[in-house]
Amino acid sequence: MILTAALGLPMLGALALAVSSRWTETAARRCAIVVSVLPVLLLAWAWRQFDPQGVLFQFVEEVPWVPSLGMGYRLGVDGIALAVATMSALVFSASIAYPVDTKHQPRQYYAWMLFLQSVSLGVFLALDLLLFYVFFDLSLVGMFFLIGRWGHGQAQLAAFKFFLYTFFGSLLLLLAIIGLYLSVEPRTFDMRVLIEQQPLAGAGMTAGLVFLALMLGFAIKTPVVPVHTWLPQAHVDAPGPVSAILAGVLLKMGTYGIIRIPFAMMAETFSRYALIIALFAVASILYGAFVALGQSNLKRRIAYTSVNHMGYTVLGIAVAGALIQDTEYARELALVGATVEMVAHGLITGALFLICGSFWQRTEEYDLDSYGGLLRQAPWLTAFAVLASFASLGLPGLAGFVAEFHIFAGTFGVYPWLAVIGVLGILVTAALFLQMLQKVFFGAMPERWAQFEDLRPIEWGVLVVLSAGFVLIGVAPAFLLTLVEASAALLVGGR
């Protein structure tokens, strides 16, 4: 019951905060922090107990729900799901602990954060398609209220746009899930059965339509160009910790969903369209990097780098799904890289958006041109911003490099010309982060920032934890690679 506890405890914490109005801000915050850390500890224990040489899905929990329809409460993890879920739980804990203006509604804010943590973990832990969809949809509700109520600027418009786009994508997923369900005998929503039976293999147009609905739904969530336009405004107007969760966790639902459903359950159809998916991924890599370079808004610039980095993840998945003869090792490398990219991006971009939150708390200003010379005024802030930026641009010794090396090594073995084109995105990413650091932390400091405050202990404490994660993956990645490689080999080798 360890997985049930991991997603159930935050929900109980959310209910405790929601039903009583007696919580002070300090008490509500401390309660939320403690409760949010519990899933991290439980999933870390599961990580230690996970057997890379064992069956694909482990820690399976199953209770019949509606047996006549093949519905059940089914949870379980492979190495990929466990890595992404653990990272997600950690990003939630960091975001909940980070200072934020709760606008005199701390109880409601932390209740929604814990609710969102619970349902987000449910997405990564579910082994039932319908349960996956329920958690996927509920995550939209939590993020909608967090952006709309505690955001700034055009927060309600940003929340509405976010919900409308992603809910449309989830409706496409529902149609596709029904298509998969009706294609298997006996009828079931059990992901393990669907992966084993590949029910739409050779189904022609039916398989193509189901695959299109799945990929479009997940592409909106990831997001992939050209269905990415909801993302920048949602990030700019959301509070820093909420942006960290949006980028660090919710975007991963898109790429994780691609791996878990169309990649694993529709191997034949996926291979047919793998090159097209890879082309969209490279377009996202280049578009995200070049558009980010042109942004003068700090948060919008980092938001577009998420489009760029999720493009790397989708490229790795597309390469892994290409059934080209004698490329199995390269395809495994690409899938491992895509998973490591999800984990690395969650930690790195989570840290970057929390740093954006620190800027907003102090200045309510995101314009890069209004800053300068903050190195002397805020050395701790500068240090963490530099470290996270260098990790994001793929500097060796940090997590981004490990992920991108695996992705491009695998891509070169399958689509070498796409690897060459995609590498240009890394060059542009380096330029945009170096320019950002130069504008904000170096040069002359405007007089109005003479009282600019450096990071407080709670802020740098949270950033130390996230930074330690992506530094550890960069220096000693074996603990993560061992977990992921066995599952990647089973998924790719079984195709």
Side-chain angles (χ1 to χ4, degrees), residues 194-195 198 258-267 491 495:
L194 291 163
I195 292 171
Q198 300 287 310
I258 294 173
I259 294 173
R260 185 56 68 232
I261 303 179
F263 178 88
M265 299 178 190
M266 304 180 68
L491 288 172
R495 300 173 80 79

Side-chain angles (χ1 to χ4, degrees), residues 379-468:
W380 279 109
L381 179 62
T382 305
F384 284 111
V386 169
L387 183 60
S389 296
F390 275 59
S392 191
L393 62 84
L395 188 73
L398 298 170
F401 174 79
V402 177
E404 290 163 15
F405 178 84
H406 278 78
I407 291 169
F408 283 107
T411 303
F412 198 83
V414 179
Y415 302 127
W417 55 282
L418 280 182
V420 173
I421 297 171
V423 165
L424 293 175
I426 297 177
L427 180 64
V428 180
T429 303
L432 71 90
F433 274 111
L434 292 175
Q435 184 195 58
M436 181 189 79
L437 293 173
Q438 181 184 26
K439 284 188 173 185
V440 175
F441 299 106
F442 301 97
M445 186 182 70
E447 290 185 8
R448 61 173 171 156
W449 306 135
Q451 303 303 316
F452 190 95
E453 181 187 0
D454 201 0
L455 294 178
R456 296 187 286 274
I458 184 61
E459 292 172 303
W460 64 254
V462 168
L463 293 173
V464 162
V465 173
L466 294 179
S467 300

Side-chain angles (χ1 to χ4, degrees), residues 187-207:
R187 301 280 190 257
T188 183
F189 289 99
D190 192 331
M191 291 184 175
R192 296 164 296 178
V193 174
L194 291 163
I195 292 171
E196 181 182 356
Q197 292 192 9
Q198 300 287 310
L200 286 174
M205 181 176 291
T206 301

Side-chain angles (χ1 to χ4, degrees), residues 129-151:
L129 268 180
L130 194 60
L131 191 63
F132 172 93
Y133 178 77
V134 169
F135 285 131
F136 190 93
D137 249 14
L138 289 175
S139 70
L140 308 185
V141 177
M143 183 56 67
F144 172 79
F145 283 107
L146 285 167
I147 295 174
R149 178 63 188 89
W150 288 277

Side-chain angles (χ1 to χ4, degrees), residues 287-312:
Y287 178 88
F290 278 108
V291 175
L293 182 62
Q295 301 303 310
S296 60
N297 181 293
L298 173 63
K299 221 177 182 192
R300 189 177 289 270
R301 175 172 290 211
I302 297 172
Y304 274 107
T305 66
S306 289
V307 177
N308 163 262
H309 284 84
M310 297 313 292
Y312 296 136

